[in-house]
Protein backbone atom coordinates (compact mmCIF):
# COMPACT_ATOMS: atom_id res chain seq x y z
CA UNK A 1 0.00 0.00 0.00
CA UNK A 2 1.36 3.50 -0.79
CA UNK A 3 2.39 5.37 2.33
CA UNK A 4 0.07 8.32 3.27
CA UNK A 5 1.75 11.70 2.80
CA UNK A 6 2.80 13.50 5.96
CA UNK A 7 0.94 16.82 6.20
CA UNK A 8 2.41 20.14 7.28
CA UNK A 9 0.04 22.96 8.17
CA UNK A 10 1.52 26.45 8.48
CA UNK A 11 -0.57 29.16 10.14
CA UNK A 12 0.37 32.62 8.81
CA UNK A 13 1.59 33.32 5.28
CA UNK A 14 4.19 36.04 5.48
CA UNK A 15 7.93 36.13 6.23
CA UNK A 16 8.23 33.28 8.73
CA UNK A 17 5.31 31.16 7.51
CA UNK A 18 6.19 31.13 3.82
CA UNK A 19 9.91 30.64 4.58
CA UNK A 20 8.97 27.61 6.66
CA UNK A 21 6.55 26.16 4.09
CA UNK A 22 8.89 26.55 1.12
CA UNK A 23 11.96 25.30 2.96
CA UNK A 24 10.14 22.22 4.30
CA UNK A 25 8.82 21.39 0.82
CA UNK A 26 12.27 21.84 -0.77
CA UNK A 27 13.91 19.58 1.81
CA UNK A 28 11.12 16.99 1.99
CA UNK A 29 9.30 16.97 -1.39
CA UNK A 30 6.92 14.26 -0.12
CA UNK A 31 5.40 16.62 2.46
CA UNK A 32 1.82 17.76 1.79
CA UNK A 33 2.17 21.46 2.69
CA UNK A 34 -0.74 23.89 3.27
CA UNK A 35 -0.51 27.48 4.47
CA UNK A 36 -3.53 29.26 5.91
CA UNK A 37 -3.45 33.05 5.97
CA UNK A 38 -6.04 35.29 7.66
CA UNK A 39 -5.61 38.10 5.14
CA UNK A 40 -6.05 38.26 1.36
CA UNK A 41 -2.31 38.15 0.49
CA UNK A 42 0.76 36.10 1.32
CA UNK A 43 4.46 37.07 1.20
CA UNK A 44 4.15 40.84 1.28
CA UNK A 45 6.69 43.41 2.40
CA UNK A 46 5.37 45.28 5.43
CA UNK A 47 8.75 47.02 5.55
CA UNK A 48 7.97 48.68 2.20
CA UNK A 49 4.71 50.26 3.45
CA UNK A 50 6.28 53.66 4.30
CA UNK A 51 7.69 53.74 0.74
CA UNK A 52 4.24 52.93 -0.65
CA UNK A 53 2.58 55.74 1.31
CA UNK A 54 5.41 58.13 0.38
CA UNK A 55 4.82 57.32 -3.30
CA UNK A 56 8.37 55.99 -3.82
CA UNK A 57 6.78 52.62 -4.58
CA UNK A 58 3.89 53.33 -6.93
CA UNK A 59 1.98 50.08 -7.04
CA UNK A 60 1.00 48.04 -3.95
CA UNK A 61 1.40 44.92 -6.12
CA UNK A 62 5.16 45.64 -6.15
CA UNK A 63 5.22 44.78 -2.44
CA UNK A 64 3.81 41.31 -3.10
CA UNK A 65 6.69 38.87 -3.30
CA UNK A 66 4.85 35.62 -4.07
CA UNK A 67 1.27 34.86 -5.12
CA UNK A 68 -0.70 31.78 -3.96
CA UNK A 69 -0.52 30.51 -7.57
CA UNK A 70 3.30 30.77 -7.63
CA UNK A 71 3.46 29.10 -4.21
CA UNK A 72 1.38 26.21 -5.57
CA UNK A 73 3.81 25.83 -8.48
CA UNK A 74 6.43 25.25 -5.78
CA UNK A 75 4.28 22.63 -4.10
CA UNK A 76 2.72 24.75 -1.35
CA UNK A 77 -1.09 25.07 -1.23
CA UNK A 78 -2.44 28.34 0.21
CA UNK A 79 -5.83 29.20 1.69
CA UNK A 80 -6.19 32.96 2.12
CA UNK A 81 -8.88 34.73 4.20
CA UNK A 82 -8.72 31.74 6.52
CA UNK A 83 -7.80 32.26 10.17
CA UNK A 84 -6.88 29.72 12.82
CA UNK A 85 -9.19 30.29 15.79
CA UNK A 86 -8.47 27.26 17.97
CA UNK A 87 -5.88 24.53 18.33
CA UNK A 88 -5.96 21.09 19.89
CA UNK A 89 -2.37 19.82 19.99
CA UNK A 90 -3.51 16.45 21.44
CA UNK A 91 -5.84 15.52 18.57
CA UNK A 92 -3.66 17.55 16.14
CA UNK A 93 -6.49 19.71 14.90
CA UNK A 94 -6.72 23.40 14.04
CA UNK A 95 -10.16 25.03 13.84
CA UNK A 96 -10.22 27.58 11.06
CA UNK A 97 -12.67 30.29 10.07
CA UNK A 98 -12.72 30.85 6.31
CA UNK A 99 -14.97 32.22 3.56
CA UNK A 100 -17.15 29.10 3.82
CA UNK A 101 -17.43 29.12 7.62
CA UNK A 102 -15.74 26.96 10.23
CA UNK A 103 -13.73 23.89 9.48
CA UNK A 104 -11.35 21.57 11.33
CA UNK A 105 -7.98 20.81 9.72
CA UNK A 106 -5.92 17.83 10.80
CA UNK A 107 -2.12 18.06 10.72
CA UNK A 108 0.83 15.77 11.22
CA UNK A 109 3.20 18.73 11.67
CA UNK A 110 2.21 22.31 12.51
CA UNK A 111 4.08 25.61 12.41
CA UNK A 112 2.61 28.74 13.98
CA UNK A 113 3.87 31.86 12.22
CA UNK A 114 1.12 34.34 13.03
CA UNK A 115 3.36 37.36 13.59
CA UNK A 116 2.25 40.31 15.65
CA UNK A 117 -0.47 42.96 15.50
CA UNK A 118 -0.23 46.66 16.24
CA UNK A 119 -1.42 47.72 19.67
CA UNK A 120 -4.26 50.19 19.74
CA UNK A 121 -4.86 50.83 23.44
CA UNK A 122 -6.41 54.30 23.03
CA UNK A 123 -10.01 55.11 23.89
CA UNK A 124 -12.31 55.13 20.84
CA UNK A 125 -9.51 53.75 18.68
CA UNK A 126 -12.18 52.10 16.55
CA UNK A 127 -13.44 55.41 15.09
CA UNK A 128 -13.26 55.71 11.31
CA UNK A 129 -10.08 57.40 10.19
CA UNK A 130 -7.96 55.77 12.93
CA UNK A 131 -5.47 53.36 11.39
CA UNK A 132 -2.75 50.96 12.45
CA UNK A 133 -0.25 49.57 10.00
CA UNK A 134 0.80 45.98 9.58
CA UNK A 135 -0.40 44.42 6.37
CA UNK A 136 -0.20 45.64 2.85
CA UNK A 137 -3.98 46.09 2.79
CA UNK A 138 -3.70 48.45 5.81
CA UNK A 139 -1.35 50.62 3.72
CA UNK A 140 -3.73 50.58 0.76
CA UNK A 141 -6.74 51.55 2.91
CA UNK A 142 -4.73 54.33 4.49
CA UNK A 143 -3.62 55.72 1.13
CA UNK A 144 -7.15 55.63 -0.24
CA UNK A 145 -8.31 57.51 2.83
CA UNK A 146 -5.63 60.20 2.48
CA UNK A 147 -6.16 60.48 -1.27
CA UNK A 148 -9.90 60.94 -0.81
CA UNK A 149 -9.04 64.22 0.94
CA UNK A 150 -9.52 62.95 4.51
CA UNK A 151 -5.86 62.92 5.51
CA UNK A 152 -5.16 66.65 5.45
CA UNK A 153 -4.43 66.85 9.18
CA UNK A 154 -3.04 63.63 10.50
CA UNK A 155 -1.73 62.60 13.92
CA UNK A 156 0.81 59.85 14.34
CA UNK A 157 0.80 58.40 17.83
CA UNK A 158 4.26 57.03 18.61
CA UNK A 159 7.69 58.34 17.63
CA UNK A 160 9.43 54.99 17.10
CA UNK A 161 10.92 54.01 13.76
CA UNK A 162 7.62 53.13 12.05
CA UNK A 163 5.99 56.35 13.31
CA UNK A 164 8.90 58.45 12.05
CA UNK A 165 9.12 56.75 8.66
CA UNK A 166 5.38 57.27 8.27
CA UNK A 167 5.65 60.95 9.28
CA UNK A 168 8.05 61.51 6.38
CA UNK A 169 5.81 59.49 4.06
CA UNK A 170 2.67 61.48 4.91
CA UNK A 171 4.49 64.77 4.57
CA UNK A 172 5.47 63.69 1.04
CA UNK A 173 1.80 62.91 0.39
CA UNK A 174 0.87 66.46 1.37
CA UNK A 175 -0.61 65.94 4.85
CA UNK A 176 -0.07 68.20 7.85
CA UNK A 177 1.56 65.74 10.25
CA UNK A 178 1.44 65.87 14.05
CA UNK A 179 3.81 63.40 15.70
CA UNK A 180 2.95 62.65 19.33
CA UNK A 181 5.59 60.98 21.50
CA UNK A 182 4.91 60.26 25.14
CA UNK A 183 8.51 60.62 26.37
CA UNK A 184 11.10 63.36 25.94
CA UNK A 185 12.87 61.70 22.96
CA UNK A 186 11.96 60.46 19.51
CA UNK A 187 13.21 56.92 18.76
CA UNK A 188 13.26 56.00 22.46
CA UNK A 189 15.04 52.70 21.78
CA UNK A 190 18.13 54.71 20.78
CA UNK A 191 20.53 56.34 23.19
CA UNK A 192 19.66 60.07 23.58
CA UNK A 193 23.34 60.86 22.77
CA UNK A 194 22.67 59.61 19.24
CA UNK A 195 19.21 61.14 18.77
CA UNK A 196 20.14 64.49 20.32
CA UNK A 197 18.57 67.19 18.12
CA UNK A 198 16.46 64.70 16.13
CA UNK A 199 13.19 66.37 17.18
CA UNK A 200 14.39 69.76 15.88
CA UNK A 201 15.69 68.13 12.68
CA UNK A 202 12.32 66.47 12.04
CA UNK A 203 10.45 69.67 12.93
CA UNK A 204 12.59 71.65 10.44
CA UNK A 205 11.45 69.24 7.74
CA UNK A 206 7.84 70.18 8.51
CA UNK A 207 6.61 67.58 11.03
CA UNK A 208 4.85 69.10 14.06
CA UNK A 209 6.55 67.27 16.90
CA UNK A 210 4.79 66.99 20.28
CA UNK A 211 7.18 65.58 22.91
CA UNK A 212 6.11 64.42 26.38
CA UNK A 213 2.67 64.18 24.83
CA UNK A 214 0.77 61.06 25.80
CA UNK A 215 -2.29 60.45 23.61
CA UNK A 216 -5.17 59.13 25.69
CA UNK A 217 -7.98 58.68 23.19
CA UNK A 218 -9.98 59.98 20.28
CA UNK A 219 -13.35 61.59 19.82
CA UNK A 220 -15.60 62.31 16.88
CA UNK A 221 -15.40 65.45 14.83
CA UNK A 222 -18.16 66.96 12.74
CA UNK A 223 -18.75 63.71 10.91
CA UNK A 224 -20.46 61.06 13.00
CA UNK A 225 -18.37 58.00 13.73
CA UNK A 226 -15.26 59.66 12.30
CA UNK A 227 -12.21 60.79 14.25
CA UNK A 228 -11.95 64.55 14.78
CA UNK A 229 -9.83 65.03 17.89
CA UNK A 230 -6.87 63.29 19.57
CA UNK A 231 -6.84 63.87 23.32
CA UNK A 232 -3.60 63.89 25.28
CA UNK A 233 -2.07 64.99 28.57
CA UNK A 234 -1.21 68.23 26.71
CA UNK A 235 -3.47 69.99 24.20
CA UNK A 236 -6.18 68.33 22.14
CA UNK A 237 -5.22 68.09 18.48
CA UNK A 238 -7.86 68.43 15.79
CA UNK A 239 -7.30 65.97 12.97
CA UNK A 240 -9.17 64.15 10.24
CA UNK A 241 -7.15 60.93 10.58
CA UNK A 242 -4.69 59.21 12.89
CA UNK A 243 -2.15 56.43 12.75
CA UNK A 244 -1.46 54.52 15.97
CA UNK A 245 2.08 53.16 16.08
CA UNK A 246 2.86 52.34 19.68
CA UNK A 247 4.18 48.79 19.42
CA UNK A 248 2.99 45.29 18.64
CA UNK A 249 1.79 42.19 20.45
CA UNK A 250 2.15 38.61 19.19
CA UNK A 251 -0.90 36.92 17.66
CA UNK A 252 -0.75 33.91 19.94
CA UNK A 253 -4.07 33.94 21.83
CA UNK A 254 -5.32 30.65 20.36
CA UNK A 255 -1.92 28.99 20.85
CA UNK A 256 -1.56 30.09 24.47
CA UNK A 257 -5.09 28.79 25.18
CA UNK A 258 -3.98 25.41 23.83
CA UNK A 259 -1.21 25.24 26.43
CA UNK A 260 1.87 26.32 24.44
CA UNK A 261 4.49 27.80 26.74
CA UNK A 262 4.83 31.55 26.33
CA UNK A 263 6.27 34.64 28.00
CA UNK A 264 3.83 36.95 29.81
CA UNK A 265 4.02 39.12 26.66
CA UNK A 266 2.47 36.24 24.69
CA UNK A 267 5.66 35.38 22.74
CA UNK A 268 5.86 31.60 22.32
CA UNK A 269 8.87 29.79 23.76
CA UNK A 270 10.84 27.60 21.36
CA UNK A 271 14.13 25.68 21.28
CA UNK A 272 16.99 26.23 18.80
CA UNK A 273 15.09 24.26 16.14
CA UNK A 274 11.96 26.38 16.71
CA UNK A 275 10.13 23.50 18.42
CA UNK A 276 7.50 24.42 21.02
CA UNK A 277 6.69 22.34 24.10
CA UNK A 278 4.33 20.15 22.03
CA UNK A 279 5.42 17.28 19.84
CA UNK A 280 5.24 18.03 16.07
CA UNK A 281 4.54 21.71 16.74
CA UNK A 282 6.92 24.51 15.74
CA UNK A 283 6.66 28.31 15.85
CA UNK A 284 8.65 31.05 14.13
CA UNK A 285 8.84 34.79 13.51
CA UNK A 286 7.46 37.79 15.39
CA UNK A 287 5.17 35.53 17.45
CA UNK A 288 8.07 33.81 19.24
CA UNK A 289 10.66 34.78 21.84
CA UNK A 290 14.20 34.15 20.60
CA UNK A 291 17.30 34.01 22.76
CA UNK A 292 18.91 37.44 23.02
CA UNK A 293 22.60 36.86 22.41
CA UNK A 294 23.75 39.50 24.88
CA UNK A 295 21.30 39.02 27.75
CA UNK A 296 20.78 35.28 27.18
CA UNK A 297 17.05 35.70 27.83
CA UNK A 298 14.17 34.87 25.48
CA UNK A 299 12.99 38.13 23.91
CA UNK A 300 10.42 39.15 21.31
CA UNK A 301 12.28 40.89 18.47
CA UNK A 302 9.90 41.85 15.66
CA UNK A 303 12.29 42.08 12.72
CA UNK A 304 12.18 40.74 9.17
CA UNK A 305 15.52 38.92 8.83
CA UNK A 306 15.23 36.93 12.08
CA UNK A 307 11.63 36.03 11.10
CA UNK A 308 12.66 34.75 7.68
CA UNK A 309 15.57 32.84 9.21
CA UNK A 310 13.46 31.30 11.99
CA UNK A 311 10.92 30.22 9.35
CA UNK A 312 13.63 28.46 7.32
CA UNK A 313 15.04 26.76 10.38
CA UNK A 314 11.56 25.56 11.40
CA UNK A 315 11.02 24.22 7.85
CA UNK A 316 14.37 22.47 7.93
CA UNK A 317 13.64 20.91 11.31
CA UNK A 318 10.14 19.82 10.19
CA UNK A 319 11.58 18.16 7.07
CA UNK A 320 14.16 16.36 9.21
CA UNK A 321 11.42 15.19 11.60
CA UNK A 322 9.79 13.17 8.81
CA UNK A 323 12.67 10.73 9.40
CA UNK A 324 13.38 10.39 5.71
CA UNK A 325 15.63 13.47 5.63
CA UNK A 326 18.93 13.90 7.48
CA UNK A 327 19.32 16.87 9.76
CA UNK A 328 18.22 19.34 10.93
CA UNK A 329 21.17 21.13 9.38
CA UNK A 330 20.69 24.49 11.08
CA UNK A 331 19.84 25.90 14.48
CA UNK A 332 18.75 29.41 15.39
CA UNK A 333 21.57 31.16 17.23
CA UNK A 334 19.54 34.08 18.58
CA UNK A 335 18.97 37.79 18.06
CA UNK A 336 20.76 41.02 18.87
CA UNK A 337 18.28 43.47 17.30
CA UNK A 338 20.07 45.03 14.33
CA UNK A 339 17.98 47.85 12.85
CA UNK A 340 18.47 50.78 10.52
CA UNK A 341 16.27 53.52 9.18
CA UNK A 342 16.39 56.40 6.74
CA UNK A 343 14.76 59.63 7.79
CA UNK A 344 14.85 62.75 5.59
CA UNK A 345 18.28 61.75 4.28
CA UNK A 346 19.62 60.81 7.70
CA UNK A 347 20.69 57.24 8.47
CA UNK A 348 20.25 55.83 11.97
CA UNK A 349 21.21 52.32 13.01
CA UNK A 350 21.58 50.19 16.10
CA UNK A 351 22.69 46.73 17.15
CA UNK A 352 22.69 45.10 20.59
CA UNK A 353 22.06 46.98 23.83
CA UNK A 354 22.18 50.71 24.34
CA UNK A 355 23.79 52.17 27.46
CA UNK A 356 20.59 52.32 29.54
CA UNK A 357 19.62 48.75 28.59
CA UNK A 358 23.13 47.47 29.39
CA UNK A 359 23.07 49.14 32.81
CA UNK A 360 19.61 47.70 33.50
CA UNK A 361 21.02 44.25 32.69
CA UNK A 362 23.61 44.78 35.44
CA UNK A 363 26.71 45.21 33.26
CA UNK A 364 29.56 47.40 34.48
CA UNK A 365 29.44 49.56 31.40
CA UNK A 366 32.17 51.33 29.43
CA UNK A 367 30.99 53.70 26.69
CA UNK A 368 32.40 55.89 23.96
CA UNK A 369 30.77 58.63 21.94
CA UNK A 370 32.63 59.65 18.79
CA UNK A 371 31.61 62.64 16.70
CA UNK A 372 33.41 62.54 13.40
CA UNK A 373 33.06 62.92 9.60
CA UNK A 374 31.36 60.51 7.24
CA UNK A 375 34.22 60.63 4.67
CA UNK A 376 37.56 62.38 4.19
CA UNK A 377 37.11 65.98 5.30
CA UNK A 378 38.06 67.38 1.87
CA UNK A 379 35.42 65.32 -0.01
CA UNK A 380 32.30 66.98 -1.36
CA UNK A 381 29.20 65.87 0.53
CA UNK A 382 31.10 65.14 3.75
CA UNK A 383 28.69 65.13 6.70
CA UNK A 384 28.86 64.80 10.46
CA UNK A 385 28.30 61.43 11.99
CA UNK A 386 28.19 60.06 15.52
CA UNK A 387 28.88 56.59 16.90
CA UNK A 388 28.13 55.37 20.40
CA UNK A 389 29.52 52.06 21.58
CA UNK A 390 28.90 50.12 24.76
CA UNK A 391 31.07 47.34 26.23
CA UNK A 392 31.37 45.31 29.41
CA UNK A 393 34.19 46.76 31.53
CA UNK A 394 35.11 43.37 33.02
CA UNK A 395 35.37 41.26 29.89
CA UNK A 396 35.89 44.04 27.33
CA UNK A 397 33.17 42.45 25.19
CA UNK A 398 31.05 44.66 22.98
CA UNK A 399 27.43 44.95 24.09
CA UNK A 400 26.02 47.32 21.51
CA UNK A 401 26.59 50.11 19.00
CA UNK A 402 24.50 52.90 17.53
CA UNK A 403 25.18 55.51 14.91
CA UNK A 404 23.67 58.46 13.10
CA UNK A 405 24.95 60.13 9.95
CA UNK A 406 24.19 60.38 6.25
CA UNK A 407 21.93 57.58 5.05
CA UNK A 408 24.66 55.31 3.62
CA UNK A 409 26.55 55.49 6.94
CA UNK A 410 23.84 53.28 8.45
CA UNK A 411 25.34 50.26 6.63
CA UNK A 412 28.36 50.46 8.93
CA UNK A 413 26.25 48.92 11.70
CA UNK A 414 26.68 45.52 10.04
CA UNK A 415 30.36 45.43 11.06
CA UNK A 416 29.36 46.03 14.68
CA UNK A 417 26.64 43.34 14.41
CA UNK A 418 29.26 40.81 13.23
CA UNK A 419 31.58 41.77 16.08
CA UNK A 420 28.82 41.46 18.68
CA UNK A 421 27.72 38.06 17.47
CA UNK A 422 31.30 36.84 17.30
CA UNK A 423 31.69 37.88 20.96
CA UNK A 424 34.55 40.26 20.11
CA UNK A 425 36.13 42.56 22.65
CA UNK A 426 36.38 46.28 21.90
CA UNK A 427 40.18 45.85 21.79
CA UNK A 428 40.00 43.11 19.15
CA UNK A 429 37.46 45.07 17.12
CA UNK A 430 39.71 48.15 17.20
CA UNK A 431 42.39 46.01 15.44
CA UNK A 432 40.15 45.10 12.48
CA UNK A 433 41.43 46.23 9.10
CA UNK A 434 38.52 48.15 7.62
CA UNK A 435 38.61 49.64 4.11
CA UNK A 436 39.71 53.19 3.49
CA UNK A 437 38.85 55.35 0.51
CA UNK A 438 38.22 59.10 0.80
CA UNK A 439 34.76 58.77 -0.74
CA UNK A 440 33.57 56.33 1.92
CA UNK A 441 35.11 57.38 5.21
CA UNK A 442 38.05 58.76 7.13
CA UNK A 443 41.23 56.61 7.39
CA UNK A 444 40.21 55.56 10.89
CA UNK A 445 36.70 54.27 10.50
CA UNK A 446 34.33 55.88 13.08
CA UNK A 447 33.53 52.43 14.53
CA UNK A 448 37.24 51.71 15.04
CA UNK A 449 37.71 55.03 16.81
CA UNK A 450 34.74 54.26 19.09
CA UNK A 451 36.17 50.80 19.88
CA UNK A 452 39.65 52.26 20.61
CA UNK A 453 38.12 54.73 23.06
CA UNK A 454 36.46 51.86 24.89
CA UNK A 455 39.64 49.75 24.86
CA UNK A 456 41.22 52.40 27.12
CA UNK A 457 38.52 51.85 29.78
CA UNK A 458 38.10 48.07 29.93
CA UNK A 459 40.00 45.44 31.92
CA UNK A 460 40.56 43.01 29.02
C1 LIG B 1 5.38 49.50 8.61
C2 LIG B 1 6.37 48.43 8.97
C3 LIG B 1 7.71 48.60 8.64
C4 LIG B 1 8.65 47.61 8.98
N1 LIG B 1 9.95 47.82 8.64
C5 LIG B 1 10.87 46.88 8.97
C6 LIG B 1 12.23 47.06 8.60
O1 LIG B 1 12.61 48.05 7.96
N2 LIG B 1 13.13 46.10 8.97
C7 LIG B 1 12.74 44.97 9.66
O2 LIG B 1 13.59 44.12 9.95
N3 LIG B 1 11.45 44.77 10.01
C8 LIG B 1 10.51 45.70 9.68
N4 LIG B 1 9.20 45.50 10.02
C9 LIG B 1 8.83 44.25 10.77
C10 LIG B 1 8.67 43.06 9.84
O3 LIG B 1 7.71 43.37 8.86
C11 LIG B 1 8.23 41.84 10.65
O4 LIG B 1 9.25 41.55 11.57
C12 LIG B 1 7.98 40.61 9.79
O5 LIG B 1 6.98 40.85 8.84
C13 LIG B 1 7.55 39.45 10.68
O6 LIG B 1 7.21 38.34 9.90
P1 LIG B 1 6.23 37.21 10.47
O7 LIG B 1 5.98 36.29 9.34
O8 LIG B 1 6.75 36.67 11.73
O9 LIG B 1 4.89 37.99 10.86
P2 LIG B 1 3.87 38.83 9.98
O10 LIG B 1 4.57 39.57 8.92
O11 LIG B 1 3.05 39.60 10.96
O12 LIG B 1 2.98 37.72 9.30
C14 LIG B 1 2.09 36.92 10.04
C15 LIG B 1 0.92 36.58 9.16
O13 LIG B 1 0.06 35.72 9.89
C16 LIG B 1 -1.29 36.06 9.63
N5 LIG B 1 -2.09 35.62 10.77
C17 LIG B 1 -2.15 36.16 12.01
N6 LIG B 1 -2.98 35.44 12.80
C18 LIG B 1 -3.46 34.45 12.04
C19 LIG B 1 -4.35 33.37 12.28
N7 LIG B 1 -4.90 33.19 13.49
N8 LIG B 1 -4.64 32.52 11.26
C20 LIG B 1 -4.07 32.68 10.03
N9 LIG B 1 -3.21 33.69 9.75
C21 LIG B 1 -2.90 34.55 10.74
C22 LIG B 1 -1.26 37.56 9.48
O14 LIG B 1 -2.36 38.01 8.71
C23 LIG B 1 0.09 37.78 8.76
O15 LIG B 1 -0.05 37.82 7.37
C24 LIG B 1 8.22 46.45 9.68
C25 LIG B 1 6.87 46.27 10.01
C26 LIG B 1 5.95 47.25 9.67
C27 LIG B 1 4.50 47.04 10.03
Amino acid sequence: MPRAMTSLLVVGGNAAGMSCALKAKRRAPDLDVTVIEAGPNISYSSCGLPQLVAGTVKDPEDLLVLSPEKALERGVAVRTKTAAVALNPYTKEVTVQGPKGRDALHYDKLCIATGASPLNPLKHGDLKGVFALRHIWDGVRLMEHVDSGKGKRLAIIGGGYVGLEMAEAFLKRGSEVHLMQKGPHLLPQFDPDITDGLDEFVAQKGVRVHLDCEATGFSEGRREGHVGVVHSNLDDIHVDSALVSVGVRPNTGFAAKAGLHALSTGHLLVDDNMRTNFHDLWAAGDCVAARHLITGRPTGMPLALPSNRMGRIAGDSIAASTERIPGPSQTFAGVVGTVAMRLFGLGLAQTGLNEAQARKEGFDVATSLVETKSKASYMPGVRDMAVKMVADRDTGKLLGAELAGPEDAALRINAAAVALQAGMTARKFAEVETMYAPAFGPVWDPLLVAASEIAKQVRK
Side-chain angles (χ1 to χ4, degrees):
M1 238 181 41
R3 198 152 142 189
M5 273 175 113
T6 304
S7 67
L8 164 62
L9 180 65
V10 178
V11 184
N14 200 19
M18 290 311 295
S19 297
C20 169
L22 293 165
K23 179 74 173 185
K25 185 70 188 175
R26 267 199 312 275
R27 289 260 286 136
D30 285 351
L31 266 179
D32 173 16
V33 185
T34 303
V35 175
I36 57 165
E37 163 55 49
N41 304 109
I42 56 162
S43 279
Y44 47 88
S45 171
S46 309
C47 312
L49 285 173
Q51 280 68 40
L52 182 69
V53 173
T56 319
V57 173
K58 302 280 179 243
D59 186 349
E61 299 274 322
D62 290 346
L63 299 184
L64 297 176
V65 184
L66 190 74
S67 66
E69 294 73 29
K70 290 278 174 210
L72 191 59
E73 282 171 19
R74 292 161 72 173
V76 171
V78 174
R79 287 169 66 170
T80 54
K81 299 184 184 166
T82 304
V85 291
L87 161 66
N88 186 334
Y90 301 99
T91 58
K92 293 192 161 182
E93 243 176 31
V94 174
T95 309
V96 299
Q97 178 76 44
K100 293 185 187 144
R102 282 207 171 200
D103 197 1
L105 300 181
H106 176 81
Y107 64 83
D108 296 316
K109 315 275 172 190
L110 177 70
C111 181
I112 297 175
T114 44
S117 292
L119 293 165
N120 186 356
L122 304 183
K123 219 167 156 192
H124 303 307
D126 54 352
L127 281 172
K128 285 202 188 96
V130 178
F131 294 89
L133 209 52
R134 182 72 194 179
H135 303 107
I136 188 155
W137 51 95
D138 297 327
V140 172
R141 277 192 318 124
L142 188 54
M143 281 193 332
E144 284 170 0
H145 179 82
V146 172
D147 290 346
S148 69
K150 293 181 206 124
K152 291 208 168 64
R153 265 172 80 89
L154 177 119
I156 297 178
I157 326 294
Y161 81 91
V162 173
L164 276 163
E165 283 186 345
M166 292 308 295
E168 181 175 0
F170 279 116
L171 218 57
K172 285 193 176 140
R173 244 188 148 76
S175 303
E176 175 183 313
V177 181
H178 292 261
L179 183 65
M180 302 165 78
Q181 165 64 17
K182 79 173 178 185
H185 304 290
L186 296 177
L187 282 183
Q189 69 270 44
F190 276 71
D191 196 304
D193 282 337
I194 288 293
T195 53
D196 187 32
L198 185 65
D199 51 333
E200 287 121 28
F201 172 77
V202 172
Q204 274 163 17
K205 300 291 175 188
V207 178
R208 299 175 193 216
V209 180
H210 305 259
L211 292 178
D212 291 314
C213 177
E214 183 163 3
T216 50
F218 304 100
S219 55
E220 287 178 1
R222 268 175 306 184
R223 272 182 304 152
E224 205 185 318
H226 201 286
V227 68
V229 184
V230 189
H231 303 286
S232 75
N233 60 326
L234 303 177
D235 295 336
D236 289 348
I237 300 175
H238 291 263
V239 295
D240 53 18
S241 10
L243 174 68
V244 181
S245 177
V246 295
V248 293
R249 82 178 134 65
N251 298 318
T252 52
F254 73 97
K257 262 192 210 146
L260 270 76
H261 292 169
L263 295 181
S264 59
T265 53
H267 293 96
L268 301 176
L269 290 167
V270 288
D271 70 9
D272 292 353
N273 294 122
M274 316 312 298
R275 285 175 182 270
T276 68
N277 55 308
F278 278 99
H279 189 57
D280 285 336
L281 210 168
W282 288 254
D286 281 6
C287 64
V288 310
R291 186 194 307 114
H292 194 289
L293 288 170
I294 310 289
T295 69
R297 278 205 307 276
T299 310
M301 189 67 79
L303 289 172
L305 173 62
S307 294
N308 278 285
R309 180 173 285 149
M310 285 188 234
R312 279 189 183 193
I313 288 169
D316 186 51
S317 168
I318 291 165
S321 76
T322 62
E323 290 166 18
R324 294 190 284 277
I325 310 291
S329 55
Q330 285 175 292
T331 52
F332 189 68
V335 290
V336 288
T338 306
V339 296
M341 69 174 295
R342 183 179 67 175
L343 186 65
F344 298 109
L346 190 69
L348 292 132
Q350 179 180 48
T351 187
L353 305 181
N354 66 28
E355 182 181 348
Q357 289 164 339
R359 287 195 191 285
K360 210 166 148 202
E361 290 296 329
F363 288 103
D364 182 7
V365 167
T367 69
S368 62
L369 178 65
V370 172
E371 287 169 354
T372 178
K373 296 290 174 198
S374 62
K375 40 178 106 178
S377 55
Y378 50 81
M379 287 300 290
V382 60
R383 303 244 314 255
D384 291 334
M385 71 173 285
V387 175
K388 176 140 184 177
M389 212 171 248
V390 184
D392 177 23
R393 210 178 277 274
D394 284 334
T395 61
K397 277 194 180 171
L398 292 171
L399 300 174
E402 288 167 78
L403 59 87
E407 60 184 57
D408 54 354
L411 289 172
R412 283 198 161 86
I413 206 67
N414 286 337
V418 172
L420 273 193
Q421 289 178 61
M424 279 175 102
T425 60
R427 190 157 293 151
K428 253 307 173 229
F429 187 54
E431 289 169 3
V432 168
E433 182 189 317
T434 51
M435 62 80 206
Y436 165 64
F440 295 111
V443 176
W444 292 96
D445 187 274
L447 284 172
L448 296 187
V449 181
S452 309
E453 287 299 317
I454 291 204
K456 294 175 196 155
Q457 307 166 43
V458 293
R459 296 188 184 96
K460 284 189 185 151

